[in-house]
Amino acid sequence: MSRAFANLLLVVVTAALFLGTPALAQPVKEVDICIYGGTSGGVIAAYTAQKYKKSVLLIEPGKHLGGMTTGGLGLTDIGNKYAITGLARDYYRRIGKHYGKFEQWIFEPHVAENLFNEYIKRGQVNVLYSHRLNNVKKRNQRIQEITIENTTNPSQKQVIRAKMFIDCSYEGDLMAKAGVSYTVGREDNSRYGETINGVQLMTGHQFPDGIDPYKIPGNPTSGLLWGISNEPLLPNGTGDRKVQAYNYRICLTDNPANLVPITRPAHYDSSRYDLLARLIEAQPGKYSLNQYFIWSRMPNHKTDINNRNGFSTDMIGMNWDYPEASYEQRAEIIRQHEIYTKGLLYFFGHDARVPLPLRQEMLKWGYPKDEYTDSGHWSPQLYVREARRMIGSYVMTQANCQGKEVVTDGVGMAAYTMDSHNTHRIVIEKDGRKMVKNEGNVEVGGFGPYPISYRSLIPKEADCQNLLVPVCLSASHIAYGSIRMEPVFMVLGQSTALAAVMAINAKTSVQKIDIAKLQQELIQNPLADGSIPEILVDENDLNAVSKTGTWHIEQKNKGGYGPSYMLGGLQVGDKVRYTPSIKQTANYDVFVYLPRIEKATSEIGVRVFDGKTQQETTIKPAEVVVLGQTSGEWVPLGRYELGVGQNNYVELITKQTDGSVAADAVLFVPVAH
């Protein structure tokens, strides 16, 4: 071979490798478990699998981990803290430590992201950023390998082979490309015997009656204002493929030293907000931003802003194509949501149709300099509330949420209200008058924590045998609205990672693992590190709780830790005793859960016996500050060395009869945590 030809061949081969052309085989990486999607659930899944000594690759199409938890959703949707277990609970405890508390559910985006990065570092997890799914190869109902591509340079491709795959993306792309059955949109109520699925015209986040939908009021020939559809309202409960609205959870600040002003965004079009101007005009005297946004305060003068009422941050009806769209189409949908939302903020601060008090209030706010520093101080994560949903071995439905059907193979819990944001903005006729209304909003709660079936996290065996799906799980639209919360995704990420480990160890499919063993391991090793688990004594544990005086179980109010709490303490000296069963001698931090109730007593006596000495203290419920969407707060009682057995106890004692005593749960946390 001549030197000139050899040099030419070297140039061709090098170019082929650089360009990702078929001239050379694509690089191949092999791991035990491949996790697609660096959402909150994806990070916890990867950490869990690594702690169980499996090789892991976490693939994230973007540049950041944590999904919506780091993307602005700082006011965590909980439902009931009792449902948040394992590493998810550990995550919020570590958030609390950052802010000087036992646990906390409100936080700044960068604090949330830094903590996920700590998990990655502690778990020594291999993360591949800026790569997305290109293709899936499957044989005999098992994924053999996936091909991924560089997000910014798709010609650069790589092959990943794994024994198990976990799809933790919000979109369910891996699930779909693997040929797993799924659905998009809302089922007809008749599909699963539900009552609040499908089309729903309710009063939540709605326009008041009488707001004209036409560009020239009263003139249909003038056309509809931006954002209004001319589709007819279908009968209540009718299924369709429409998707509930997406938005950005907006982080702003009113700290002048950390503020970047909100300026007129590129492609700003004030006509997009003509309907909002009519809404403002129809509501004279509503001059607070909180009447148009859910304006939640976060630490350090920041916000988590969410949708409120008829016209707000939800870009209703503009996301229906997103779940099954190409990457390029999704990027355009995301871009339009960003333009809309930045324009909305600018409109409130500068449009003459906005009353001066509202404009002045908005102008106090700006983008925080210390958040999203590589994306113009704007969140890189659109709130994809719902995209594809798997149709798996079991489908969670409204009956599961409301406790009418209870599964026995639960590997996590949910507790949030069945919640759907609006899906459609339409014209209806009422009393002979045309008016605009939003359709699709549902908020139905009133139930306690309920188990999520393991079978809802796995495909049908005929579809795929080595894939788990903890985010786009198998649930009806309305049940998914209760389950789809970030802490729950973390819980399910841990559960599916452990299931994948068990399937590898047993050389079997995800459908044939020992579910009872999975459930037991989640209880016995909640932090996936072999540490001593904490001990919870709840009022329902008859073997560990005794009482004197008159007490009754309260279940109507979801303010307790778990499905209920005891209410009573009508006479001075009435008490409830909690006796833990200590398995291992250690120092324990002891906490009592204090639900937020009406007409609480001014003082509660607390007595702690550590097997040797007795200590007493007093809690004043009015002084307990409850932050975030949570029903109560853990009140610290101190640190005690507790020995093996049942020689220790905590008592709540009535000291004043000027209100009720709520007796709920007591927690014993090993100091090693």
Side-chain angles (χ1 to χ4, degrees):
M1 181 186 297
S2 70
R3 177 174 294 180
F5 181 75
N7 289 339
L8 177 62
L9 180 61
L10 177 62
V11 170
V12 171
V13 170
T14 303
L17 180 61
F18 178 76
L19 296 173
T21 62
L24 286 178
Q26 294 156 351
V28 176
K29 182 175 181 62
E30 295 190 21
V31 292
D32 291 321
I33 301 173
C34 175
I35 299 167
Y36 185 70
T39 59
S40 58
V43 174
I44 296 301
Y47 177 85
T48 301
Q50 198 80 19
K51 297 299 283 187
Y52 279 92
K53 310 301 183 185
K54 299 302 178 189
S55 59
V56 176
L57 177 64
L58 175 61
I59 301 168
E60 166 51 38
K63 299 177 181 179
H64 299 273
L65 297 176
M68 281 308 302
T69 299
T70 59
L73 208 169
L75 186 75
T76 307
D77 298 313
I78 309 166
N80 193 306
K81 290 194 285 193
Y82 178 81
I84 313 308
T85 55
L87 288 166
R89 182 184 291 163
D90 178 68
Y91 180 86
Y92 295 100
R93 298 263 173 89
R94 291 175 185 270
I95 289 282
K97 185 177 181 180
H98 175 86
Y99 290 109
K101 292 187 63 179
F102 173 52
E103 64 185 21
Q104 185 154 309
W105 307 82
I106 64 171
F107 44 81
E108 301 157 88
H110 77 272
V111 172
E113 184 172 5
N114 289 344
L115 181 51
F116 279 126
N117 290 334
E118 284 181 25
Y119 278 90
I120 293 299
K121 183 177 180 180
R122 283 189 288 116
Q124 298 181 320
V125 175
N126 186 11
V127 182
L128 186 59
Y129 293 95
S130 300
H131 279 76
R132 65 193 185 192
L133 191 63
N134 174 270
N135 191 35
V136 175
K137 287 186 179 179
K138 197 171 71 169
R139 186 173 65 223
N140 297 329
Q141 288 77 51
R142 296 181 73 89
I143 300 172
Q144 300 299 307
E145 63 183 39
I146 65 173
T147 302
I148 57 176
E149 62 188 29
N150 187 290
T151 302
T152 56
N153 186 1
S155 64
Q156 294 183 2
K157 294 181 170 57
Q158 184 174 352
V159 173
I160 310 298
R161 294 175 184 155
K163 298 170 185 174
M164 291 287 153
F165 292 83
I166 306 177
D167 187 345
C168 288
S169 69
Y170 290 127
E171 294 83 5
D173 287 343
L174 176 54
M175 169 190 73
K177 284 187 178 291
V180 171
S181 304
Y182 69 86
T183 188
V184 173
R186 304 179 288 186
E187 295 91 350
D188 195 284
N189 269 334
S190 63
R191 177 69 179 85
Y192 297 115
E194 297 175 309
T195 61
I196 51 175
N197 208 332
V199 171
Q200 298 289 332
L201 186 64
M202 295 189 179
T203 58
H205 300 290
Q206 188 57 275
F207 287 92
D209 286 351
I211 295 185
D212 194 287
Y214 303 112
K215 292 179 180 178
I216 300 175
N219 184 0
T221 62
S222 66
L224 294 166
L225 293 176
W226 182 89
I228 304 174
S229 167
N230 59 7
E231 289 189 21
L233 175 65
L234 296 177
N236 186 70
T238 302
D240 56 29
R241 291 182 62 81
K242 296 180 173 65
V243 180
Q244 63 173 302
Y246 300 166
N247 73 343
Y248 279 95
R249 299 294 287 257
I250 309 166
C251 183
L252 299 181
T253 182
D254 62 352
N255 176 9
N258 192 35
L259 183 150
V260 177
I262 296 170
T263 55
R264 181 187 178 102
H267 311 291
Y268 175 71
D269 181 358
S270 63
S271 70
R272 285 187 166 191
Y273 313 102
D274 288 349
L275 181 58
L276 173 58
R278 286 191 189 172
L279 174 62
I280 293 172
E281 186 180 10
Q283 301 180 136
K286 289 195 173 183
Y287 295 154
S288 167
L289 289 175
N290 242 318
Q291 293 169 313
Y292 297 90
F293 305 88
I294 298 176
W295 202 279
S296 302
R297 294 274 187 158
M298 295 296 106
N300 294 318
H301 297 274
K302 294 176 187 172
T303 66
D304 168 5
I305 300 171
N306 196 12
N307 183 82
R308 169 166 277 162
N309 295 333
F311 195 113
S312 188
T313 62
D314 279 357
M315 197 176 179
I316 298 172
M318 306 298 176
N319 62 330
W320 296 345
D321 294 333
Y322 182 90
E324 297 180 297
S326 67
Y327 292 130
E328 293 74 21
Q329 290 169 324
R330 284 181 184 166
E332 178 58 22
I333 292 170
I334 292 169
R335 189 179 79 91
Q336 289 299 326
H337 277 74
E338 181 176 339
I339 291 170
Y340 166 80
T341 313
K342 288 181 174 179
L344 177 69
L345 299 175
Y346 180 78
F347 175 87
F348 266 100
H350 297 86
D351 197 287
R353 293 171 291 177
V354 177
L356 184 61
L358 275 172
R359 278 183 276 151
Q360 290 174 330
E361 187 180 0
M362 177 58 80
L363 290 175
K364 296 176 183 177
W365 295 88
Y367 306 119
K369 293 178 183 177
D370 60 345
E371 299 290 353
Y372 312 123
T373 55
D374 63 350
S375 57
H377 312 292
W378 185 258
S379 173
Q381 179 63 63
L382 178 66
Y383 193 176
V384 178
R385 289 190 172 90
E386 184 176 354
R388 297 181 177 100
R389 299 188 311 280
M390 179 170 62
I391 303 175
S393 297
Y394 181 86
V395 180
M396 299 289 293
T397 69
Q398 180 180 339
N400 296 105
C401 300
Q402 295 179 325
K404 297 174 183 177
E405 184 173 328
V406 181
V407 299
T408 59
D409 63 339
V411 291
M413 288 181 288
Y416 201 74
T417 294
M418 288 180 287
D419 174 77
S420 172
H421 280 234
N422 278 302
T423 301
H424 207 185
R425 183 170 285 152
I426 56 173
V427 179
I428 70 162
E429 184 171 342
K430 183 177 180 182
D431 299 327
R433 186 178 178 185
K434 301 282 190 178
M435 61 188 71
V436 62
K437 291 289 181 181
N438 294 333
E439 182 274 311
N441 186 84
V442 179
E443 296 169 84
V444 177
F447 45 82
Y450 59 91
I452 301 167
S453 171
Y454 173 72
R455 290 165 292 155
S456 69
L457 310 178
I458 57 175
K460 299 171 184 174
E461 194 165 14
D463 281 353
C464 192
Q465 297 176 9
N466 66 335
L467 173 69
L468 299 108
V469 186
V471 176
C472 294
L473 71 153
S474 180
S476 71
H477 158 71
I478 202 59
Y480 191 79
S482 170
I483 298 169
R484 61 169 181 83
M485 304 303 152
E486 290 289 295
V488 177
F489 288 153
M490 293 190 218
V491 171
L492 300 181
Q494 180 174 356
S495 299
T496 51
L498 180 54
V501 169
M502 291 173 59
I504 291 172
N505 292 345
K507 295 182 172 60
T508 190
S509 68
V510 295
Q511 288 83 11
K512 293 180 179 176
I513 67 161
D514 186 335
I515 297 175
K517 184 178 178 181
L518 170 61
Q519 293 171 317
Q520 193 62 29
E521 179 66 13
L522 290 169
I523 294 171
Q524 292 180 346
N525 191 16
L527 300 185
D529 61 1
S531 60
I532 306 171
E534 63 187 41
I535 300 169
L536 176 73
V537 182
D538 191 61
E539 88 285 345
N540 287 312
D541 189 346
L542 300 180
N543 295 321
V545 177
S546 60
K547 56 186 181 291
T548 60
T550 303
W551 302 84
H552 72 273
I553 297 293
E554 178 63 59
Q555 291 180 310
K556 295 178 183 178
N557 189 326
K558 61 178 184 177
Y561 191 76
S564 62
Y565 57 90
M566 283 193 294
L567 206 57
L570 303 180
Q571 302 294 326
V572 173
D574 287 357
K575 63 184 179 182
V576 179
R577 175 179 288 190
Y578 300 81
T579 305
S581 181
I582 304 295
K583 300 289 193 299
Q584 187 170 336
T585 299
N587 287 321
Y588 290 84
D589 287 331
V590 182
F591 301 83
V592 61
Y593 194 77
L594 197 67
R596 183 165 39 188
I597 64 170
E598 294 183 5
K599 298 180 181 178
T601 182
S602 59
E603 292 185 330
I604 302 173
V606 181
R607 184 178 297 145
V608 181
F609 180 65
D610 63 4
K612 298 177 183 177
T613 60
Q614 186 171 278
Q615 297 188 35
E616 295 193 22
T617 187
T618 299
I619 296 174
K620 296 183 178 181
E623 296 178 357
V624 176
V625 178
V626 180
L627 293 176
Q629 293 189 48
T630 176
S631 58
E633 200 66 56
W634 289 113
V635 178
L637 302 180
R639 178 172 294 179
Y640 304 87
E641 183 179 3
L642 303 180
V644 174
Q646 292 183 300
N647 302 316
N648 321 279
Y649 61 77
V650 173
E651 289 180 337
L652 299 187
I653 308 162
T654 300
K655 289 191 71 174
Q656 302 289 342
T657 58
D658 53 355
S660 297
V661 175
D664 197 350
V666 176
L667 185 65
F668 303 82
V669 182
V671 174
H673 283 199

